[in-house]
Amino acid sequence: MSKLSEKAATLLSEGTVKMIIGYEQGTERPRPAFCHKPEDCERLIFNDQCSNNLAVYLTKKEIIGEDKVGVVGNYYVIKTVIQLNRENQINLQNLVVMTVDGDDIITFGSIDEMQQYVDTHEPVPNEKVLAVIEKIDKMSRSERWDYWKSELSKCVRCYACRAACPLCYCNRCVTEVNCPQWIEPWAAPLSNMEWQINRVMHMSGRCVGCGECAAACPLELPIGILTKKMGMDIKNTFGGWKDGSVLSTYNVNDKENFIK
Amino acid sequence: MERLIIKSDQIHTWLAKIIETVPRVLAPVKTGSKAEFKEIKDAGSVAYDVITTTSSVKASAFPNTETLFAYEKQGTDTKIYDVAEENFLDTVIWRARPCDAVGFGPLTKIFNWDYKDKLYNERFSRLVVVSFACDKADGCCFCTSVGGGPGNTAGSDIMLTKINDKETLVEVLTDKGQKLIDLCKDCFTKADDSIDKESVLAKIPVRFTREQIHEKLAKSFESPIWKAQSERCLGCGACAFVCPTCACFDIQEGAHGNHGRRVRCWDSCGFTLFTQHTSGHNPRPTQATRWRQRVMHKFSYMPDRLDIYGCTGCGRCSRACPVDMNIAEHLTNIANNE
Amino acid sequence: MSNNIYIPYVMVVDKITVEAPGVKTLRLRFQNEEEGNKFEFKAGNFAEYSAFGEGECTFCIASAPTRKGYIECTFRKAGRVTSGLDRLEEGMTMGVRAPLGNSFPLDEWKGKNLVFVAGGIALPPMRAVIDNVLDRRDEFGDVTIVYGAKTVNDLVYKEELKEWEERPDVNLFATVDPGGETPDWKGKVGFTPNVLGEVAPSSDNAIAIVCGPPIMIKFTFPVLEKLGFKDENIYTTLENRMKCGIGKCGRCNVGPMFVCKDGPVFSKVQLNALPPEF
């Protein structure tokens, strides 16, 4: 039994948590795993291929219930927990957050510890994504429009991007609101763009950059580029991710007065 | 049924002739690392080196988004316009897989078991399906477990099987198929009876049978297996949207001023809101109940009501799933579940 | 209707009645008289009503097939489509796809006593049957109606309730939830299932028809059982979400049964055989 499996099994057998969410080997790559009994924990693994953002399950009441659960996640899971906490979406008292660093299993005692880990373990940026962003930045406005129109017209509106995103936790998504109907809910070039643009705007300053929206897309649409670029712009304009949600931040001393 | 041979280098000559003659030819085209069915204008653009496309070819008869009818409000009156004939194109599907072709069976039953769905039928009746037998399969393929196979001809008008680098066997299965052959008669010669198609097909192990699943499901409605299997399911529609037989749809309204149209678009039983009443009551309130519906629909309700199973074993849902809900693995567990 | 099954009849709103807060009845006639003459339906059938510009929604036809020349649609303004229907004025056109689904087996009930139990906005589907029965009154035995709503104001078909009240051949028990009564309310006060138990209609040679929200139905069945009603003599309608209404769109099924094709009318015996997915 690996150290990770042992640790998880102990948490379950001692009754510290009712469930451990981690990774297990899937068909071709790791996938999310749910352990309810100590013996389930033998399946747990942790490696570079463990990419699913498990924090997506932490806001699902039907999965975690009212019980205390443990999560063994990657860097982005930790980063997401910080953001979900900031947005009052999780109860830290009912959560044991862990990650694996080399041979060590780290259990975080506080948000500060998570923040410190996140600050010191930032993954190397994805060169491919940056190259695409650079390419798109160099395009003229009309070329950019054509690029996105062409890419997003392929979207089938399966909402895998939304489902895989741990910060897309709205009970009723804007695309499902029909009084009034903001976004047409079927696949068509215009409504696909409205959908993706709305999504990325809603993510502004909140997105942790895990890239799971793009990884989830069965059609390989470059939607991760949108969130990544948005994140970069937010950082350049407003000073970085730590400030939280840009669009819902309000300051009474704001020089703009439209909201008053 | 006629068995012919086409020389491998003649296939493109024939396809070029088809493209020239038929209003629309759909074939797998490379998109990034994967492939999708798209309209082709050039025989050279077909992606032959992929096992399957990401999406099935169902959109050719059941588009993701289609107009059911249009209307115009004129004062207090409303004029209605049916879908015009021009919207239905004669179409050849080139390089379908046997699991694509066989998918039209369940679709046709769904759209015709009671009321006849003209829009589907108009599109489907104009399709000619040219399938290529599979010499390769991947870990998600399980057609042999659901009554299909890498050389299964059901649903195809023509099936091609590459016998060796030089020759391809052409099975002409229907009159529609024969008409495509007639476009390029010189390309074909009679096939020798000794040619054995089976020997070149991919070997795909049988993991369970449909009947086994059907029998197990009769006693499994309250089983804890649904919760256990669906725990990681995110509730997106990727599986349903790429599936060759999933036909659940929504009806929506597209209106601007006095003009409007009623729209049919794909939907998925995996979505929370799919069955939710306006009151908030939801007959399928959890992902476990929605996953159960998906499996039950395909392996219990469809065979019971429509006398056909709703799965072709193409494995597309498994490949598309962001969290590896591998349906063959789940079905195997159901088959072995006590 | 064109052979395109999604194209609705165009119907004209002839009369609008405000039944209760947010609840209206639209009386509809066929714009094309010939279509109207050919149109036939049975009590229990439903329709897909559409407000052009907003979409379609599903309700039982609220009028009786014995009342010719029109159909009626009673709805509560709740979402996008019903808000669209709510905005219609007399003389305007809307769409109707009908008749859809099965119907109440009225002919099998000849000579029987009928007990109708309805709650809130679920009286409309039942009213099609009640009016149908009253129009063929001598074919049936006693008619008992227990109808409840949250408040006096929420009772629908107030005019008809008065008529039924006055008829000697109808036993009407209208009730409102505790706290929903007004000073001049002469009916009962109490939840519908409790009032049903109090009224205690005989189950001898009787059929019970129950329509209402899931919670009301849940509490009504045990009362009926106590009164001696056998499951084969209890009928209800299911109201799962629908889009196509013709057995294709895939959302209304309860197990292998399509509410839109095998329903909306089910006997309790049928319900017992279905998984609890409604």
Side-chain angles (χ1 to χ4, degrees), chain B residues 216-267:
Chain B
K216 277 284 157 63
L217 290 182
K219 289 168 269 167
S220 303
F221 198 85
E222 304 289 355
S223 169
I225 202 165
W226 306 116
K227 169 93 194 307
Q229 292 192 340
S230 67
E231 235 166 358
R232 64 177 180 272
C233 174
L234 297 170
C236 75
C239 50
F241 283 26
V242 299
C243 175
T245 72
C246 272
C248 289
F249 60 80
D250 194 2
I251 296 178
Q252 288 283 346
E253 196 92 344
H256 298 280
N258 288 327
H259 292 265
R261 60 184 186 129
R262 196 145 292 159
V263 176
R264 161 155 77 189
C265 55
W266 291 352
D267 208 338

Side-chain angles (χ1 to χ4, degrees), chain C residues 224-240:
Chain C
L224 287 172
E225 196 183 333
K226 226 171 157 186
L227 292 172
F229 281 87
K230 292 213 171 72
D231 286 354
E232 61 263 35
N233 293 327
I234 301 175
Y235 288 81
T236 188
T237 57
L238 293 186
E239 297 174 352
N240 274 7

